[in-house]
């Protein structure tokens, strides 16, 4: 029997089943809902069969791990060789407190660092700026100068531990500080490894922590990509991020499509700079959310890898297979966590983490159960880390590569997602690219509508959230909470002012003047920013110079 | 003469926190309930929020904050409202505000605080029920 | 003092709370609205009112922010009324124009107010006009009215202004086409914003072509300017043009007044000349004396006598 005949046979059998067996059951045990849909609004069938994957070609669409189109994974050995990097995003209070948290996590088996900065740092203000009032050290660690970075990384060997920094607007300045600490430790620059998020596009419509307008922002992104291509070969200059797009309200499909488009725009701007695609593409990394619909998420990660490989090969004519790799970091979804019955969040995070592993991620952050209420306590973050370790060592999920390949359901969803994401990409191409789409409010509108829809569905109980709109209990379990001492701000401000008194201010002023000149001249700013941070010029001072030349971004609001 | 009275409401994001998903959803729900919603955008200082409330002559102010900076920013906002004699405006808040902070925030004059998981129609109803009587 | 009198006093002394309350009273269209507007009316007419409109995405609000800053540099106080549409379905509105001007919200020389179109019986233009009067009476040197230029009702609102600026952005070609011809006619100044875009010059040419189709009136040649709202480039020039237009209006008014004055004087002069020469002639002919006697004898009243005299005179001539 040929394949076609086999499919026909299955189709006939399905039709027979729908006429004979199914109706009897539907009568006695009708289905819970009229229709089942996932977050991307795909209609979920009752049962999937080979009919749903009949157009698939194994070698064309899946292939083998470590080979094009990388659907099954970018490495040939995947977790059988090395487990994913367990990287917990953390930071709060002073640099000293966060340094202690880092050391604790490394001792507990974490394999990479991930720095969370506070809002003033993220938005390029010093800890003593009026905007920083009440924000210092609250949502992350305050880093206002190289001095803070030195304390933050004290005792951590930068040639052995890789570090991810969630930083965008002032990515160049914080990378410069990191490099400066590496220089002080005597680590050769080619050995310094890690990631700067440095993805400005998504900031303009999803995360909205912007400093400069789009054009100079993207210029700085490209400066970092270019600098790393020449001087920091182990550094991932950009982590193209879907996570924030998702958390702002998009569904899985939109997250996939817009993140890939963000990647396309990043490659295009590096090519415009005159770089060769194979010189930098292998260092591009991606960052996704893992939300709560298990199979939809797995399909999303697999589709993302395949789609990116095709785009790099066909659209950008990359030759080096590594340029076609989509390496990803995944974080479980913060917005699925509930303030109600917080211990249930451990279960949510476990399912989301499992999706990330079955989806073949290179690196994972698991949220702590208390994060809908506060920054994680030591105990909460340990449970989160243990969740990853249990999946790695006890569940067996990491013992074979891409275990869900061949599942009719998962392959069907993977194909659907890829196809529909391509439609979005076409649409944005037709619109004139990512910047135009941002200016027209396209992404913003898509986000606002999806977020509103999700909320309405929750309000109407079309979407059940355990402990929130079903199975609610009157008395809530109370859990211990981490509070940042308000004294942190005082201490940080005092330290910063002391630094301003004691450093060589003539040198600082000279450097800032040089920086001003370089900014106006439009040259690559990385080398001079590294020089500037070494004089202990503060983050706010350096960003201030750039603000003067570039102006500041103002958000286009779409509700 | 046909009176055209409408509820005017300011939705404000104090501080540097950029999590605006909730604020925007609430703004949309209030608009859909027939109110005139003025949204400040991100990164507002207490001074900007209070001046905006004054110029727009709103009936209600909704503050949204998820960063934990409410302990510094809310008292400042409430103090400025008092200074400018705007205490007839009703203030409510939403976001991530720990249970243990709520009594203190209410003492400042914040009428209600809505945590994560609140239904939007709960907020809309609350606003309708608590509109200050103004000339 | 009644509540309204108190608010009026407050508005006239520039009290911000009173200005805000007064606009609310106008918006709410209550029994007191008319009294309020009537009381402030005598104190209006000093502000220059600028209407600014243009399609969404043209960078209008950002440009307005820069315009305000420029006026503030010149030590002028500024009021802004930003109008957004009310949803016909829910009656609610989202008022978001001030977001880009928020940094100016604490400047005591600036007052920004958002207004929804609501479903006014007399059209939104009246409420906007009255709100502008409040800002004018409160002593603002400049009052800016901002609307989204999409339909007929916006054309009505913007007519409140003395100088109307219409903003476009390159690449919004379809939108230029979609702008009602009425908008082209009412504009005094055109601005192509985002001038750093490559197709800015094409947008300028498109507008100039449309202007030629619309037969520009000769008195005020409508300029087409380039700005980059992001950096503020071109804003001082725009302000210059606005000032020029203001002077143009003043000159026009001046012109109108002098004309009226001259006309009145001319009429006076003619009257006098005609009367004098006519009387002299009549006296010479003895007609004057003849009719004077008839009047004295009460055979005729002076008006009838004059009528008859003149009738005879002109019939003979014609």
């Amino acid at each position: 029997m040929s394949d076609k005949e086999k499919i026909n046979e299955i189709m006939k059998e399905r039709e027979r089943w729908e006429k004979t067996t199914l109706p009897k059951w539907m009568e006695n045990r009708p289905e819970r809902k009229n229709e089942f849909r996932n977050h991307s609004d795909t209609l979920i069938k009752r049962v999937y069969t080979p009919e749903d994957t009949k157009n698939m070609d194994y070698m064309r669409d899946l292939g083998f791990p470590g080979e094009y189109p990388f659907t099954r994974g970018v490495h040939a050995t995947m977790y059988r060789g090395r487990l994913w990097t367990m990287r917990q995003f953390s930071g709060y209070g002073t640099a000293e407190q966060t340094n202690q948290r880092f050391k604790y996590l490394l001792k507990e088996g974490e394999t990479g660092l991930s720095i969370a900065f506070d809002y003033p740092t993220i938005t390029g203000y010093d800890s003593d700026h009026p905007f920083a009032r009440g924000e210092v050290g609250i949502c992350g660690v305050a880093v206002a100068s190289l001095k803070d970075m030195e304390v933050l990384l004290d005792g951590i060997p930068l040639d052995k531990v890789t570090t991810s920094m969630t930083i965008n607007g002032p990515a160049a300045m914080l990378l410069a500080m990191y490099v400066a600490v590496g220089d002080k430790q005597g680590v050769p620059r080619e050995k310094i490894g890690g990631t700067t998020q440095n993805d400005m596009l998504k900031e303009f419509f999803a995360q909205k922590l912007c400093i400069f307008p789009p054009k100079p922002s993207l210029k700085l992104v490209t400066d970092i990509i270019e600098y790393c291509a020449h001087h920091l070969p182990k550094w991932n200059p950009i982590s193209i991020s879907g996570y924030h797009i998702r958390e702002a309200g998009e569904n899985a499909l939109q997250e996939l499509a817009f993140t890939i488009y963000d990647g396309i725009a990043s490659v295009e701007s590096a090519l415009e700079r005159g770089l060769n695609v194979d010189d930098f593409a292998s260092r591009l990394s991606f960052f996704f959310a893992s939300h709560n619909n298990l199979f939809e998420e797995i399909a999303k990660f697999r589709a993302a890898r395949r789609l990116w490989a095709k785009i790099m090969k066909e659209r950008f004519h990359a030759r080096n297979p590594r340029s076609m790799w989509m390496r990803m970091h995944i974080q479980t979804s913060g917005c699925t966590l509930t303030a109600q019955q917080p211990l249930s969040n451990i279960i949510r995070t476990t399912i989301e983490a499992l999706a990330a592993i079955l989806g073949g991620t290179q690196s994972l952050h698991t949220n702590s159960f208390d994060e809908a209420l506060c920054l994680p306590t030591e105990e909460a973050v340990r449970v989160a880390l243990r969740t990853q370790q249990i999946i790695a060592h006890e569940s067996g999920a990491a013992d074979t590569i891409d275990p869900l390949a061949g599942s009719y359901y998962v392959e069907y969803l993977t194909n659907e997602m890829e196809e529909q994401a391509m439609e979005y990409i076409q649409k944005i191409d037709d619109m004139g690219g990512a910047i135009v789409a941002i200016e027209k409010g396209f992404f913003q509108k898509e986000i606002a509508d999806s977020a509103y829809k999700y909320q309405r569905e929750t309000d109407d109980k079309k979407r059940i959230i355990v402990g929130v709109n079903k199975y609610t209990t009157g008395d809530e379990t109370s859990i211990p909470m981490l509070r940042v001492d308000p004294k942190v701000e005082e201490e940080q401000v005092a330290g910063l002012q002391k630094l301003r008194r004691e450093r060589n201010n003539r040198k600082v002023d000279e450097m800032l003047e040089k920086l001003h000149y370089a900014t106006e001249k439009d040259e690559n700013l990385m080398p001079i920013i590294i020089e500037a941070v070494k004089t202990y010029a503060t983050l706010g001072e350096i960003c201030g110079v750039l603000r003067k030349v570039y102006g500041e971004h103002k958000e286009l609001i779409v509700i | 003469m046909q009176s055209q009275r409408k509820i005017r409401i300011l939705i404000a994001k104090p501080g540097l926190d950029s999590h605006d998903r909730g604020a925007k959803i609430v703004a949309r729900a209030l608009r859909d309930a027939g109110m005139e919603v003025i949204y400040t955008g991100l990164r507002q200082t207490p001074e900007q929020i209070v001046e905006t409330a004054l110029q727009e002559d709103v009936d209600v102010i909704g503050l949204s904050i998820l960063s934990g900076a409410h302990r510094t920013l809310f008292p400042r906002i409430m103090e400025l409202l008092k200074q400018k004699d705007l205490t007839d405006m009703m203030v409510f808040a939403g976001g991530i505000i720990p249970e243990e902070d709520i009594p203190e925030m209410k003492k400042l004059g914040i009428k209600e605080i809505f945590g994560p998981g609140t239904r939007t129609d709960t907020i809309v109803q609350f606003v309708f029920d608590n509109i200050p009587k103004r000339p | 003092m009644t509540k309204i009198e108190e608010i009026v006093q407050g508005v006239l002394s520039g009290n911000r709370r009173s200005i805000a309350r007064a606009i609310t009273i106008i918006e709410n269209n209550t029994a007191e609205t008319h009294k309020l507007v009537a009381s402030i009316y005598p104190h209006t007419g000093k502000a220059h009112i600028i209407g600014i409109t243009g399609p969404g995405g043209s960078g209008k609000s950002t440009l307005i922010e820069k315009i305000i800053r420029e006026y503030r540099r010149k030590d002028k106080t500024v009021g802004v009324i930003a109008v957004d549409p009310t949803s016909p379905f829910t009656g609610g509105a989202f008022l978001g124009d001030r977001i880009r001007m928020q940094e100016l919200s604490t400047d005591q020389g600036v007052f920004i107010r958002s207004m929804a179109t609501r479903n006014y019986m007399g059209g939104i233009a009246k409420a906007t006009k009255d709100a502008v009067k409040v800002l004018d009476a409160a002593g603002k040197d400049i009052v800016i009215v901002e609307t989204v230029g999409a339909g007929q009702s916006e054309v009505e609102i913007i007519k409140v202004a003395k100088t109307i600026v219409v903003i476009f952005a390159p690449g919004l070609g379809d939108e230029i086409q979609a702008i009602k011809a009425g908008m082209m006619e009412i504009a005094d100044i055109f601005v192509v914003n985002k001038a750093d875009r490559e197709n800015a010059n094409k947008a300028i040419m498109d507008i100039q072509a449309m202007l030629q189709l619309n037969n520009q009136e000769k008195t005020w040649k409508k300029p087409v300017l380039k700005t980059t709202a992001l950096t503020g480039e071109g804003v001082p020039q725009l302000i210059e043009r606005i000032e020029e237009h203001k002077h143009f209006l003043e000159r026009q008014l001046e012109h109108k007044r002098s004309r009226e004055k001259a006309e009145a004087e001319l009429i006076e002069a003619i009257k006098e000349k005609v009367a004098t020469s006519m009387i002299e002639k009549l006296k010479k002919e003895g007609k004057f004396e003849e009719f004077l006697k008839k009047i004295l004898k009460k055979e005729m009243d002076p008006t009838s006598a004059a009528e008859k005299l003149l009738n005879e005179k002109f019939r003979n001539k014609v």
Side-chain angles (χ1 to χ4, degrees), chain A residues 145-147 150 184 499 503 532-538 541:
Chain A
S145 74
L146 175 59
K147 188 103 205 152
E150 286 165 0
K184 283 201 166 180
L499 174 88
R503 66 186 181 182
V533 302
K534 284 183 172 176
T535 67
Y536 293 95
T538 67
E541 289 162 348

Side-chain angles (χ1 to χ4, degrees), chain C residues 55-219:
Chain C
S58 56
K60 200 168 10 114
S61 305
T62 310
L63 188 62
I64 292 177
E65 198 242 15
K66 288 292 186 321
I67 291 173
I68 302 172
R69 283 185 193 279
E70 186 65 21
Y71 272 120
R72 294 297 293 140
R73 245 195 300 279
K74 293 171 183 279
D75 243 357
K76 302 266 189 220
T77 56
V78 185
V80 180
I81 302 280
V83 184
D84 272 312
T86 292
S87 156
F89 306 109
T90 63
F94 180 69
L95 308 174
D97 292 327
R98 68 175 298 135
I99 291 167
R100 271 148 207 279
M101 307 168 208
Q102 269 307 81
E103 271 175 40
L104 296 163
S105 62
T106 51
D107 178 344
Q108 298 298 303
V110 179
F111 192 101
I112 303 165
R113 179 60 175 256
S114 318
M115 284 177 80
T117 51
R118 298 198 184 171
N119 301 309
Y120 287 104
M121 298 293 281
I124 173 64
K126 186 179 173 307
T128 312
K129 212 170 190 165
D130 289 342
V132 167
K133 280 184 193 131
V134 171
L135 292 171
D136 184 349
K140 295 281 173 276
D141 300 314
I142 305 292
V143 177
I144 297 173
V145 179
E146 177 190 4
T147 64
V148 178
Q152 203 51 46
S153 69
E154 285 75 17
V155 174
E156 286 305 312
I157 299 169
I158 214 77
K159 279 185 183 162
V160 168
K162 292 180 188 165
T163 300
I164 295 171
V165 181
V166 177
I167 300 175
F168 297 98
L172 294 175
D174 303 345
E175 285 84 345
I176 294 182
Q177 296 304 326
I179 295 282
K180 295 261 180 312
M183 199 59 95
M184 296 298 286
E185 273 160 34
I186 61 166
D188 299 306
I189 297 170
F190 291 93
V191 171
V192 173
N193 191 31
K194 305 187 182 180
D196 51 340
R197 298 271 175 88
E198 45 192 86
N199 42 358
N201 288 328
K202 182 174 180 310
I204 289 181
M205 271 151 55
D206 284 351
I207 294 170
Q208 277 165 345
M210 279 181 87
L211 280 174
Q212 271 158 10
L213 279 178
N214 277 309
N215 277 335
Q216 277 215 60
E217 44 184 309
K218 302 248 162 39
T219 42

Side-chain angles (χ1 to χ4, degrees), chain A residues 119 123 131 134-135 138-139 207-210 247-249 340 372-373 448-449 451-452 459 481 483-484 557-558, chain B residues 15-21 24-25 28-29 32 39 43 45 67 69 71-72 96 98 100-101 116 118-120:
Chain A
Y119 276 114
T123 47
F131 268 147
E135 312 261 15
I138 298 286
C139 272
Q207 167 136 296
K208 284 156 281 185
L209 288 163
C210 314
E247 290 286 295
Q340 295 81 358
L373 298 162
D449 287 346
Y452 198 55
D459 283 358
M481 293 225 279
R483 302 302 298 255
V484 176
I557 307 247
V558 179
Chain B
L16 296 173
D17 159 35
S18 73
H19 294 93
D20 59 359
R21 181 174 175 167
K24 284 183 170 180
I25 286 175
R28 190 157 166 171
D32 289 351
Y39 175 55
R43 284 192 213 176
T45 62
S67 69
R71 284 189 292 176
T72 311
I96 298 187
E100 58 187 78
D101 290 355
T118 308
R119 295 168 56 94
T120 51

Side-chain angles (χ1 to χ4, degrees), chain A residues 373-390:
Chain A
L373 298 162
C374 59
L375 292 188
T377 61
E378 209 161 81
E379 192 197 357
V381 77
R382 191 175 63 230
V383 172
L385 181 58
R386 295 289 180 257
T387 305
Q388 295 198 38
Q389 290 161 340
I390 289 168

Side-chain angles (χ1 to χ4, degrees), chain A residues 137-297:
Chain A
I138 298 286
C139 272
V141 60
V143 177
S145 74
L146 175 59
K147 188 103 205 152
D148 294 329
M149 190 64 102
E150 286 165 0
V151 175
L152 182 65
L153 298 172
D154 179 57
I156 293 165
L158 299 195
D159 52 345
K160 299 204 171 64
V161 177
T162 61
T163 304
S164 166
M165 295 197 277
T166 299
I167 196 77
N168 296 281
M173 298 77 187
L174 285 136
L175 175 58
M177 290 183 199
Y178 195 87
V179 168
V181 172
D183 287 354
K184 283 201 166 180
Q185 283 188 2
V187 179
R189 291 203 177 160
E190 61 273 12
K191 280 196 171 169
I192 289 181
T195 306
T196 32
Q197 192 163 83
N198 190 32
D199 168 18
M200 282 313 298
L201 267 180
K202 63 96 172 54
E203 293 294 327
F204 291 105
F205 61 89
Q207 167 136 296
K208 284 156 281 185
L209 288 163
C210 314
I211 305 178
F212 316 112
K215 236 179 169 173
S217 290
L218 294 180
K219 187 250 176 210
L220 285 173
V221 168
T222 314
D223 276 2
I224 297 176
I225 295 176
E226 187 183 42
Y227 184 83
C228 290
H230 299 314
H231 304 284
L232 298 172
K234 282 183 73 187
W235 195 268
N236 303 314
I238 180 168
S239 168
I240 299 154
S241 304
Y243 184 82
H244 316 85
I245 302 176
R246 189 67 184 276
E247 290 286 295
E250 297 286 40
N251 63 40
L253 170 65
Q254 291 165 321
E255 179 197 359
L256 170 63
F258 299 166
T259 309
I260 297 270
Y261 208 92
D262 186 351
I264 289 173
S266 306
V267 172
E268 280 172 352
S269 74
L271 291 177
E272 270 169 39
R273 183 67 69 97
L275 293 174
N276 187 320
V277 67
D278 286 316
D279 288 347
F280 67 90
S282 66
R283 292 316 308 174
L284 302 176
S285 62
F286 285 79
F287 174 27
F288 288 102
S290 186
H291 210 275
N292 57 14
N293 190 315
L294 182 67
F295 295 106
E296 184 180 22
E297 293 304 307

Side-chain angles (χ1 to χ4, degrees), chain C residues 300-311:
Chain C
M300 228 178 196
D301 64 283
T303 311
S304 307
E307 223 165 72
K308 199 149 190 247
L309 263 174
L310 290 178
N311 270 346

Side-chain angles (χ1 to χ4, degrees), chain B residues 101-120:
Chain B
D101 290 355
I102 290 179
E104 199 186 318
M105 296 296 131
K106 286 195 170 173
K107 229 191 279 166
L108 294 169
I110 295 172
K111 189 109 184 171
E112 193 54 84
I113 288 167
F114 297 103
T118 308
R119 295 168 56 94
T120 51

